[in-house]
Amino acid sequence: NAGVTQTPKFQVLKTGQSMTLQCAQDMNHEYMSWYRQDPGMGLRLIHYSVGAGITDQGEVPNGYNVSRSTTEDFPLRLLSAAPSQTSVYFCASSYSGGGETQYFGPGTRLLVL
Amino acid sequence: GESVGLHLPTLSVQEGDNSIINCAYSNSASDYFIWYKQESGKGPQFIIDIRSNMDKRQGQRVTVLLNKTVKHLSLQIAATQPGDSAVYFCAENSRSNDYKLSFGAGTTVTVRA
């Protein structure tokens, strides 16, 4: 199993540009989530999904969209990038959301100029 | 609001000594707790977890203690090694919060040779 994979590893955007961060898992996990990590603030939940076709907002959803058309994939879209979205983004998955360990991908480092 | 926090942002430990990392949480309904280790440039890696119906759980060289009375969680690492140098996060979730993970800000552990 590859586990949780994320692409790209690093991206530089200009303010106003759009992009999609890709996340995939091959563990047949129902629950997937996106976090952002900023210095000194730990990880904050952006969006999550409890299964294909179902998504919900986390703690910091503004400026981000998600969709879950398959169990394996959970892309995160930035429609109009802003410097405040400069961060490291992690995708995670677990068998279910309830009291199960979440496994994290290697992260995408995003710089918005 | 609910929060999860670590007592100290940094911890310096002599190689071979035991490490203790502390975490306080505020949600009395929390029922699942996890410790993650994050090495530089990588995603968080699961170390050990504990459910609210337990007060102690042991793994390989690690022990997690849960004190629900004072809402305190600790991670003990026995015989700390250079490879233990990393940032350690505690996280919790609860049925009342739709099992969304809440993370503390992290403790940076540095192992001295």
Side-chain angles (χ1 to χ4, degrees):
Chain A
N1 286 349
V4 180
T5 58
Q6 292 183 239
T7 56
K9 285 187 170 57
F10 181 72
Q11 183 73 46
V12 179
L13 290 178
K14 294 181 180 178
T15 296
Q17 285 185 315
S18 63
M19 80 161 294
T20 299
L21 281 64
Q22 302 291 344
C23 174
Q25 51 88 13
D26 61 358
M27 298 174 282
N28 202 30
H29 284 171
E30 290 295 325
Y31 189 94
M32 296 185 74
S33 52
W34 276 102
Y35 297 85
R36 61 177 289 173
Q37 185 174 34
D38 301 298
M41 298 188 71
L43 286 89
R44 292 183 293 168
L45 182 65
I46 305 172
H47 285 285
Y48 66 102
S49 168
V50 299
I54 306 169
T55 63
D56 208 343
Q57 296 181 349
E59 182 184 352
V60 288
N62 292 342
Y64 308 96
N65 283 347
V66 292
S67 60
R68 185 93 180 270
S69 57
T70 67
T71 299
E72 294 78 19
D73 301 295
F74 190 44
L76 178 72
R77 297 184 186 85
L78 284 71
L79 297 180
S80 179
S84 61
Q85 294 178 304
T86 293
S87 188
V88 181
Y89 292 85
F90 290 100
C91 179
S93 74
S94 63
Y95 181 71
S96 70
E100 299 286 340
T101 302
Q102 291 192 30
Y103 295 92
F104 284 80
T108 293
R109 188 175 296 273
L110 178 66
L111 175 62
V112 183
L113 301 176
Chain B
E2 307 296 356
S3 65
V4 180
L6 291 168
H7 291 303
L8 291 173
T10 62
L11 179 66
S12 180
V13 182
Q14 184 69 38
E15 182 179 357
D17 286 353
N18 296 335
S19 303
I20 299 176
I21 307 167
N22 295 304
C23 181
Y25 64 95
S26 60
N27 183 4
S28 57
S30 295
D31 48 27
Y32 181 60
F33 303 86
I34 313 163
W35 280 101
Y36 285 94
K37 172 186 180 183
Q38 186 176 27
E39 295 173 284
S40 181
K42 296 184 179 180
Q45 177 186 7
F46 170 83
I47 301 174
I48 192 168
D49 59 0
I50 188 168
R51 299 191 186 277
S52 58
N53 60 352
M54 304 171 69
D55 52 24
K56 181 179 180 179
R57 191 164 188 219
Q58 289 184 291
Q60 187 175 10
R61 282 201 307 117
V62 294
T63 301
V64 56
L65 298 177
L66 175 63
N67 185 331
K68 294 181 287 294
T69 303
V70 295
K71 296 199 279 287
H72 182 268
L73 188 71
S74 69
L75 176 70
Q76 300 177 2
I77 305 173
T80 310
Q81 303 169 358
D84 295 326
S85 292
V87 180
Y88 291 81
F89 293 96
C90 62
E92 59 86 22
N93 68 13
S94 66
R95 187 194 306 267
S96 65
N97 193 30
D98 291 335
Y99 291 112
K100 290 178 284 190
L101 270 182
S102 293
F103 282 82
T107 290
T108 300
V109 173
T110 302
V111 180
R112 307 188 305 272

